[in-house]
Amino acid sequence: MNSSAHAEESEHPKKARRPWHRAKIAAGLVVAVTAVIATVGAITPWPSAMLIRAVFTKGGDDTAAEMDRHVPDTKLTEQLDVAYGDAGADTTMDVFAPASASGPLPTVVWIHGGAWISGSKENVDPYLRILAAEGYTTIAVNYTIGPEGVYPLAVHQLNDALAYIDENAEELGVDPTRIVLAGDSAGAQLASQMATLITNTDYAEILDITPSLTPEQVVATVLNCGVYDLAALAQLDGIAGWGLKTSMWAYAGTKTWAEDSTGSTMSTVDWVTADFPTTYISGGNGDGLTWLQSIPMAKRLDALGVEVTTLFWPVPHEPALPHEYQFHLDMPDAQTALEQTIDFLNTHTTR
């Protein structure tokens, strides 16, 4: 009896200690994993970039599905995965035009967003089908995203894409004298960069790139929710600041992007001239980039004498319109943006 009681007493402390022992091990593992992640994250942007990409990919797929519901029944011709370079899927484009077209049409070349490290032409294909139904040839262009490719690779690729479009205009249904450069988010930054490259010879010389198009060929730009001032971007804090800075590290291939040539040459607000094409620029009131990037860019272009059409929303507007609200076509305000975009295109591509 005594030995049995003694055995029970000796077992009780062990049972009491086990949960604490497991908790200590779990806590230690968490600390160790956190330390590893922090160490790796300080050396390379890859893990964080892949996490951001996964989130953006899910959002891009959902948004494309939302836009799909608004594509009209207009019959289109589609040329998908047209290769303009030799980097596989990275250097391909999708081309849409009304099936009823009997000749070349004014053309919208759209560069997709995704923080320079995610996204694809398929994300904007539904929107371009909608625009094509309005009487345009529309082209969604892929490029190598970071960190697989680093700046300025995408700029060179997009210049090659414009060269391909110009050289194959008849086959693609493109009027090479009426080209609109367009983009969303990071794609808007790239669209503004291509337009600056084409219209500012000093800038082209700094980048050591010969533009594939002439200023006369680019009749307008459409810039939605873009980034045009990298110094301002570098000042962001919080989760948004972390995400954008990580994305830029992955895209630039260096942590010092804000203070070197990458940040300088990507900051098109500092390089645009009076020769920049007439521009439509928009952003939502719930998107911090509107106040930090889009409105200052619009003001800069206006000060230079560039014709600018803006669609911004009052601060108290409800609902607060998020980043890339233009693609959320279930929202009435996105439908307003689409209508104004089409009006802008009609105004500036007609002869």
Side-chain angles (χ1 to χ4, degrees):
M1 182 71 176
N2 289 340
S3 61
S4 174
H6 179 73
E8 287 180 7
E9 287 174 4
S10 64
E11 286 176 4
H12 288 168
K14 291 181 182 178
K15 291 179 181 178
R17 283 197 300 268
R18 281 172 187 165
W20 289 105
H21 184 61
R22 294 191 194 103
K24 288 178 181 178
I25 292 174
L29 286 173
V30 169
V31 171
V33 169
T34 301
V36 170
I37 292 173
T39 301
V40 172
I43 298 171
T44 172
W46 274 85
S48 297
M50 294 304 102
L51 174 62
I52 295 168
R53 180 181 294 177
V55 173
F56 275 48
T57 297
K58 176 64 166 61
D61 291 345
D62 291 346
T63 303
E66 180 179 349
M67 288 191 285
D68 266 329
R69 296 194 290 270
H70 298 271
V71 176
D73 294 332
T74 306
K75 188 174 181 181
L76 303 175
T77 60
E78 300 188 357
Q79 301 178 59
L80 305 181
D81 299 319
V82 177
Y84 71 82
D86 58 4
D90 288 355
T91 49
T92 58
M93 59 178 70
D94 292 343
V95 185
F96 309 94
S100 60
S102 57
L105 296 173
T107 299
V108 179
V109 179
W110 199 287
I111 305 170
H112 71 81
W116 302 281
I117 62 168
S118 68
S120 69
K121 55 185 173 59
E122 286 78 14
N123 294 146
V124 297
D125 278 355
Y127 199 78
L128 296 194
R129 289 185 174 99
I130 294 169
L131 295 183
E134 296 292 327
Y136 295 90
T137 294
T138 58
I139 303 176
V141 185
N142 265 353
Y143 53 92
T144 301
I145 55 178
E148 289 86 346
V150 297
Y151 181 82
L153 175 60
V155 179
H156 286 274
Q157 290 175 332
L158 292 169
N159 194 48
D160 291 343
L162 295 178
Y164 182 91
I165 291 168
D166 189 38
E167 292 164 5
N168 298 275
E170 184 175 356
E171 177 185 345
L172 297 173
V174 170
D175 181 345
T177 68
R178 290 184 290 171
I179 293 176
V180 178
L181 297 179
D184 59 285
S185 192
Q189 184 277 324
L190 283 162
S192 76
Q193 196 166 8
M194 301 313 296
T196 305
L197 182 72
I198 291 164
T199 57
N200 183 345
T201 55
D202 290 339
Y203 183 67
E205 288 177 5
I206 285 288
L207 287 179
D208 194 25
I209 297 175
T210 301
S212 296
L213 301 180
T214 66
E216 293 74 26
Q217 291 178 271
V218 181
V219 297
T221 66
V222 173
L223 307 177
N224 286 337
C225 303
V227 172
Y228 317 102
D229 182 351
L230 275 292
L233 191 72
Q235 299 304 312
L236 284 175
D237 294 320
I239 188 67
W242 170 81
L244 287 166
K245 291 172 186 176
T246 299
S247 298
M248 274 303 306
W249 179 14
Y251 179 63
T254 173
K255 263 187 168 182
T256 61
W257 56 268
E259 61 239 42
D260 64 21
S261 62
T262 299
S264 177
T265 55
M266 285 180 65
S267 296
T268 51
V269 70
D270 296 325
W271 295 94
V272 291
T273 68
D275 295 322
F276 196 82
T278 183
T279 296
Y280 169 93
I281 187 167
S282 179
N285 65 310
D287 179 5
L289 293 181
T290 297
W291 313 101
L292 194 68
Q293 302 286 336
S294 294
I295 290 176
M297 181 62 155
K299 289 181 176 179
R300 174 60 178 160
L301 292 173
D302 183 65
L304 289 168
V306 176
E307 184 179 353
V308 182
T309 299
T310 62
L311 180 57
F312 298 124
W313 304 81
V315 172
H317 179 80
E318 290 293 340
L321 300 176
H323 187 61
E324 298 209 289
Y325 80 94
Q326 298 91 343
F327 289 162
H328 294 285
L329 292 174
D330 289 350
M331 300 172 59
D333 295 326
Q335 289 290 338
T336 297
L338 175 61
E339 291 168 7
Q340 293 203 19
T341 300
I342 292 169
D343 288 344
F344 173 83
L345 293 173
N346 291 341
T347 298
H348 296 286
T349 61
T350 55
R351 287 176 173 168

